Amino acid sequence: MRIAYLISQVPAINHTYILGEIQGLRKHGVAVDTISINAPDRPLSELNDAEKAEQAGTFYVKQRGAVATAVAHLSLLLRAPLRYLGGLAFALRMSGFTPGEVPRWLLFFVQAVLVGQQVGRLGLNRLHVHYASSVGLLVGRVFPIRVSHTIHGSGEFENPRAFRLREKTHYAQMICTISRFGRSQVWRFSDPEDWGKVEVCPLGVDVRRFQQLERRSREDDVFELITVGQLAPAKGQHIMVEAVSLLRRRGMPVRLRLVGDGGMRRSLEEQARRLGVETDVVFAGFRNNSQLADLYRDADVFVMSSFAEGLPVAMMEAMAMGLPCIASRITGIPELVVDGETGILVTPSDAGELAAAVERLRNDRELRLQMGEAGRRKVEREYNIETNTARLAEILRQHECTGPA
């Protein structure tokens, strides 16, 4: 079996699990040709060997240039005018003809023509999409290509009408969600007649890479918290900083390590200074997988205070390393973090409840160990990338000859 994969950006440090998924599919007999809307997020010199290999074989849409793009559109218009004009009309209809949306959907149409022609040059009629579903939707309306999507959430569920979730589900050959919660939301915003094409296949991590090891001993007795993710409003990191302040006022030595970067960094730094915990909140920036493993070994608990999530891969990595987790009781997270078993779930936006959960784990080493062990077993059982990519390969085969083309 051979398919094309359309991704918003590959390689991307925020989405390393997609590269793992592609590699896993290849191991399970699915040949994957990658197409990326955007160029890699780092210079070639900063990519690892696997990323360099993927970059070398990837078709990059935005690097085609104006002349090549114009030629692609003109050739399709002359060869198949009805398909071209029908796709353009469909894109405008998806925009709702609103001033802010028309340019976006016209750009999606421009990119869809380049993607569809590349799929044709590869001799393929199957396209699976991550994080570029609007372009994928249009590819399926312009070309005789069967399109399927992985819907991650939770952004898609916040404004499903603008995202055109109903239309994407209707016209897709298959929709894959990464959690049962995600499936419920796709069902919620789509027609019941299309529910049968929605499959659940969680993401996963390489449990051999993130092995459970003894925590590193430290000279101080500071209780180390770690969180991994983009510094963005939806991640709610301000709640963690406030919780650190509460714990420090109670006399508990605690350190929060924020791994990742983003637009909220300045605001978080200012909050830490204002609360007097600037030395207790460490901004570690982006880290690769090997560096992350070292940071997990230094930590006592993984913390996530998000307001919105899909199903965090970083949390799976931490659990694979044997770290107990404290996380918001939202979206698909309870499918991963079982309250009282693999971690503690807290009310989102409640810094006091988060601080109490940290204090509970700090004061009960045996509970930390039990939750860490249980979390490791759960990831091995349900979120192992080897197992889950095998399942995805089977799902793709099951839907190989179904759906619109």
Side-chain angles (χ1 to χ4, degrees), residues 32 34 69 76 115 118 145 147 152 177 200 228 231 243 245 251 263 278 291 303 342 345 355 367 371 373 387:
V32 179
T34 50
T69 300
L76 181 61
V115 172
Q118 174 63 10
I145 294 171
V147 178
H152 293 257
T177 66
V200 178
V228 180
L231 305 185
S245 175
E278 62 270 26
Q291 293 170 324
V303 183
T342 65
L345 296 176
L367 181 61
M371 287 183 171
E373 289 280 354
T387 303

Side-chain angles (χ1 to χ4, degrees), residues 331-346:
T331 60
I333 287 179
E335 298 174 36
L336 176 61
V337 179
V338 180
D339 193 25
E341 180 181 327
T342 65
I344 300 175
L345 296 176
V346 297

Side-chain angles (χ1 to χ4, degrees), residues 277-384:
V277 293
E278 62 270 26
T279 60
D280 305 314
V281 178
V282 179
F283 293 86
F286 288 114
R287 291 290 185 268
N288 60 36
N289 281 339
S290 61
Q291 293 170 324
L292 260 181
D294 288 336
L295 292 177
Y296 288 141
R297 277 193 288 271
D298 287 334
D300 295 295
V301 173
F302 184 94
V303 183
M304 185 168 280
S305 56
S306 300
F307 304 140
E309 278 291 346
L311 199 58
V313 173
M315 193 176 293
M316 298 176 196
E317 295 170 349
M319 290 170 68
M321 294 284 291
L323 277 179
C325 295
I326 301 172
S328 301
R329 191 184 294 103
I330 59 168
T331 60
I333 287 179
E335 298 174 36
L336 176 61
V337 179
V338 180
D339 193 25
E341 180 181 327
T342 65
I344 300 175
L345 296 176
V346 297
T347 305
S349 81
D350 193 327
E353 192 173 334
L354 177 61
V358 172
E359 193 166 19
R360 178 186 173 193
L361 288 179
R362 194 252 184 184
N363 294 334
D364 194 335
R365 181 177 182 274
E366 187 61 31
L367 181 61
R368 294 201 308 272
L369 293 174
Q370 289 174 4
M371 287 183 171
E373 289 280 354
R376 167 74 181 183
R377 291 195 299 270
K378 186 170 182 65
V379 170
E380 288 179 326
R381 186 173 63 249
E382 299 178 28
Y383 298 96
N384 185 332

Side-chain angles (χ1 to χ4, degrees), residues 239-283:
I239 305 303
M240 287 184 266
V241 175
E242 185 180 350
V244 168
S245 175
L246 291 173
L247 291 165
R248 273 301 191 180
R249 275 183 265 162
R250 297 174 193 168
M252 177 177 164
V254 62
R255 181 185 300 116
L256 170 64
R257 193 176 301 275
L258 295 157
V259 181
D261 216 330
M264 298 302 293
R265 177 163 181 163
R266 178 175 294 182
S267 176
L268 288 162
E269 289 173 336
E270 290 174 353
Q271 182 196 22
R273 283 193 295 269
R274 186 173 65 254
L275 295 176
V277 293
E278 62 270 26
T279 60
D280 305 314
V281 178
V282 179
F283 293 86

Side-chain angles (χ1 to χ4, degrees), residues 135-286:
V135 175
L137 171 64
L138 297 179
V139 170
R141 304 315 302 148
V142 177
F143 296 89
I145 294 171
R146 292 184 171 90
V147 178
S148 55
H149 304 271
T150 291
I151 301 295
H152 293 257
S154 61
E156 296 93 328
F157 312 138
E158 293 172 4
N159 193 347
R161 182 175 177 82
F163 184 72
R164 295 295 180 181
L165 184 56
R166 183 182 301 274
E167 290 85 356
K168 289 171 183 176
T169 304
H170 177 69
Y171 288 109
Q173 177 188 24
M174 180 269 290
I175 295 288
C176 184
T177 66
I178 63 172
S179 67
R180 296 188 298 278
F181 171 84
R183 178 179 61 187
S184 76
Q185 298 306 291
V186 173
W187 282 1
R188 177 186 176 191
F189 299 114
S190 62
D191 297 323
E193 293 78 8
D194 292 322
W195 288 3
K197 65 177 70 173
V198 182
E199 303 275 3
V200 178
C201 186
L203 303 172
V205 297
D206 186 346
V207 294
R208 295 166 300 181
R209 175 179 295 175
F210 294 97
Q211 295 183 13
Q212 184 171 8
L213 298 172
E214 290 291 327
R215 304 273 75 75
R216 286 181 177 177
S217 59
R218 296 191 300 270
E219 294 181 1
D220 57 34
D221 64 344
V222 176
F223 196 65
E224 180 96 10
L225 311 176
I226 188 171
T227 188
V228 180
Q230 187 178 14
L231 305 185
K235 297 295 184 179
Q237 287 107 342
H238 289 82
I239 305 303
M240 287 184 266
V241 175
E242 185 180 350
V244 168
S245 175
L246 291 173
L247 291 165
R248 273 301 191 180
R249 275 183 265 162
R250 297 174 193 168
M252 177 177 164
V254 62
R255 181 185 300 116
L256 170 64
R257 193 176 301 275
L258 295 157
V259 181
D261 216 330
M264 298 302 293
R265 177 163 181 163
R266 178 175 294 182
S267 176
L268 288 162
E269 289 173 336
E270 290 174 353
Q271 182 196 22
R273 283 193 295 269
R274 186 173 65 254
L275 295 176
V277 293
E278 62 270 26
T279 60
D280 305 314
V281 178
V282 179
F283 293 86
F286 288 114

